[in-house]
């Protein structure tokens, strides 16, 4: 049977008190509506239609061609929102999943289970429900004498007695597509909020003696509908726990999962150990047998197998296998480390490639550079890549040795196997296997220290 999906994402989300449209608020680094759309796609829906309104352009720009879009120009309620797809979907046979764009924790597995129950019971509509300790704010599931679902009542329309019901509507449904659109045309806005409620479809179908099923979610976390920042924080916490468990199940050790922040699309290989205070963001992918943290932030970074990163920050960097980074290193966009590179303490690298086995162990800045393999860059050596107007490149050949406190004034080249003597300021290219020295020659004045002290003493006495 054809399976369709409608995602409701046209509301402004006033209760968020935000310039950002509600469904674009990220949960674990990914907008809520993307979480929902990913779940829907994973549940093998043939077509996914997102209803957009507030922030339509921003939502479309974010989701791109992952969905079809229908505009709800005025937000007159969830029923009105679904009705906007009538021209597109109304004539199709099949089942339609309807999911709110603000329920980021709903999973593909649960959508599958809901659709399976719907088919098995020959239902016209099936609701994903949950039992909540604190049901305030959600629509309540009204059941008849035999436990059958007879309707949904919104919080604002509840009698005091109905308000005590703890089974809630998660806002996720499975409908017979044709029945959905037939019932929608009968929905009115005669209620406390003056809105066309999608939830009224349930009562309408029930009155036609059609079967309504309910699938109670095994994990109440899936029910969370994010209407304000308090719920957003709760969704973040629950999603974080879910992500952590998935990595643990995949063979990753989290020393303190509650203090490890892994965004939704991060991948980590087996036997990698993550220490507390680590934040893994965006499209970061980490290989196996790595040690990351404590207190490290990696964004859009790829890390090869067996690499160690301690107390460091990386952004759009590529690290090869067996590298060692930190403590206190900063790898900025365009950093590419080959295998077994060592980047030590207080080293910053930007827009630079570093070849296999090279070492930059302490207190260096390497920017806009190509560093060959087997290179050693001494403590405090830097590339001077910027003249206030232009960025220039530094090239360092394989097996070159750059001494401590060297300034490489770009553009400049240090040839293969060359040796740059400590303390040099290099402004001219150094040939392969040359030794470059660019500093004042040392002068030792024998026994002069006593003379110097005598002079200083005399000066002090004169001043007193
Ligand atoms: C809705 C349900 C409620 C359920 C809860 C679950 C209705 C009437 N109520 O309430 O039973 O317990 O979700 O979280 O459906 N939207 C539109 N167009 C509109 C209005 C809303 O696209 O005109 C979208 C919103 O962007 C949001 C979703 O629909 O993503 C739900 O709307 P919201 O206003 O948050 O509904 P709730 O009051 O939470
Ligand atoms: Ca909501």
């Amino acid at each position: 049977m054809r399976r369709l999906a409608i995602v409701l994402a046209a509301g402004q989300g006033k209760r968020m008190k935000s310039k950002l449209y509600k469904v674009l608020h990220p949960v674990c680094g990914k907008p809520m509506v993307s979480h929902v759309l990913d779940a829907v796609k994973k549940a093998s829906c043939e077509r996914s239609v997102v209803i957009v309104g507030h922030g339509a352009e921003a939502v479309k720009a974010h989701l791109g061609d992952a969905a079809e879009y229908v505009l709800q120009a005025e937000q007159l309620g969830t029923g009105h929102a679904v009705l906007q797809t009538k021209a597109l979907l109304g004539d199709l046979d099949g089942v339609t999943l309807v999911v709110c764009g603000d329920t980021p924790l709903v999973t593909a597995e649960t959508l599958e289970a809901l659709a399976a129950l719907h088919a098995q019971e020959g239902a016209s509509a099936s609701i994903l429900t949950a039992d909540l300790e604190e049901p305030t704010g959600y629509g309540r599931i009204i059941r008849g004498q035999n436990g059958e679902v007879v309707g949904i009542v919104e919080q604002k329309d509840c009698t005091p007695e109905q308000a005590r019901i703890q089974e809630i509507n998660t806002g996720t449904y499975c409908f017979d597509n044709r029945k959905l659109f037939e019932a929608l045309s009968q929905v009115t806005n005669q209620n406390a909020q003056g809105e066309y409620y999608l939830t009224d479809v349930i009562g309408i179908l029930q009155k036609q003696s059609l079967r309504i099923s309910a699938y109670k979610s095994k994990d109440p976390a899936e029910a969370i509908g994010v209407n304000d920042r308090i719920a957003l924080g709760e969704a973040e916490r629950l999603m974080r726990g879910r992500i952590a468990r998935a990595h643990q199940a995949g063979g990753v050790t989290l020393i303190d999962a509650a203090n490890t922040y892994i965004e939704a699309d991060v991948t980590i290989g087996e036997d990698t150990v993550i220490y507390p205070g680590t934040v893994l963001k965006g499209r970061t992918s980490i290989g196996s047998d790595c040690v990351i943290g404590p207190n490290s932030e990696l964004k859009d970074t790829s890390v090869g197998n067996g690499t160690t990163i301690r107390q460091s920050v990386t952004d759009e960097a590529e690290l090869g296998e067996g590298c060692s980074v930190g403590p206190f290193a900063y790898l900025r966009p365009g950093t590419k480390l080959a295998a077994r590179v060592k980047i030590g303490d207080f080293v910053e690298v930007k827009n630079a490639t570093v070849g296999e086995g090279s070492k930059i162990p302490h207190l260096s800045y390497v920017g806009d550079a190509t560093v060959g393999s087997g290179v050693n860059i001494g403590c405090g050596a830097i590339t001077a890549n910027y003249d206030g107007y232009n960025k220039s490149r530094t090239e360092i050949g394989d097996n070159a040795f750059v001494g401590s406190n060297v300034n490489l004034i770009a553009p400049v080249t240090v040839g293969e196997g060359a040796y740059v003597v400590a303390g040099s300021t290099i402004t001219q290219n150094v040939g392969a296997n040359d030794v470059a020295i660019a500093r004042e020659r040392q002068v030792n004045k024998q026994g002069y220290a006593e003379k110097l002290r005598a002079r200083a003493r005399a000066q002090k006495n004169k001043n007193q």
Side-chain angles (χ1 to χ4, degrees), residues 445-458:
K445 299 190 175 182
Q446 266 183 14
Y448 198 82
E450 192 40 50
K451 261 192 197 165
L452 211 66
R453 278 193 286 271
R455 202 201 292 160
R457 248 187 327 257

Side-chain angles (χ1 to χ4, degrees), residues 24-148:
L24 290 179
H25 274 267
V27 170
C28 291
K30 184 154 123 180
M32 295 199 275
V33 69
S34 298
H35 283 287
V36 171
L37 192 60
D38 284 356
V40 155
K41 297 215 143 216
K42 224 171 130 194
S44 39
C45 292
E46 206 171 279
R47 292 174 71 176
S48 309
V49 181
V50 178
I51 316 283
V52 291
H54 278 285
E57 292 314 312
V59 174
K60 282 196 217 171
H62 184 81
L63 298 175
D65 53 16
E68 298 172 62
Y69 301 95
V70 166
L71 183 72
Q72 184 193 21
E74 251 190 304
Q75 285 69 51
L76 303 180
T78 49
H80 178 259
V82 174
L83 197 55
Q84 306 311 300
T85 66
K86 190 171 182 181
L88 196 63
L89 306 176
D91 290 335
L92 301 176
D93 289 318
V95 296
T96 304
L97 289 169
V98 177
V99 191
C100 294
D102 63 354
T103 56
L105 280 111
V106 71
T107 62
E109 293 69 33
T110 296
L111 294 176
E112 291 281 6
L114 178 68
L117 179 80
H118 182 84
Q120 188 190 322
E121 298 202 345
S124 294
S126 301
I127 313 165
L128 179 66
T129 75
D131 284 327
L132 295 188
E133 296 265 311
E134 184 39 85
T136 308
Y138 291 95
R140 305 300 204 283
I141 305 296
I142 310 299
R143 289 187 183 257
Q145 277 160 359
N146 303 318
E148 77 284 10

Side-chain angles (χ1 to χ4, degrees), residues 8 10-11 22 72 75-78 101-102 139 154 169-170 197 227:
L8 306 186
K22 176 163 82 169
Q72 184 193 21
Q75 285 69 51
L76 303 180
T78 49
D102 63 354
E154 289 305 293
N169 167 32
T170 65
Y197 291 162
N227 295 330

Side-chain angles (χ1 to χ4, degrees), residues 219-243:
D219 176 8
E222 284 196 80
I224 196 161
V226 174
N227 295 330
D228 57 25
R229 307 274 184 152
I230 297 161
L232 183 67
E234 186 64 4
E236 178 87 22
R237 187 182 67 79
L238 293 165
M239 181 73 80
R240 186 156 67 237
R242 184 189 282 176
I243 291 170

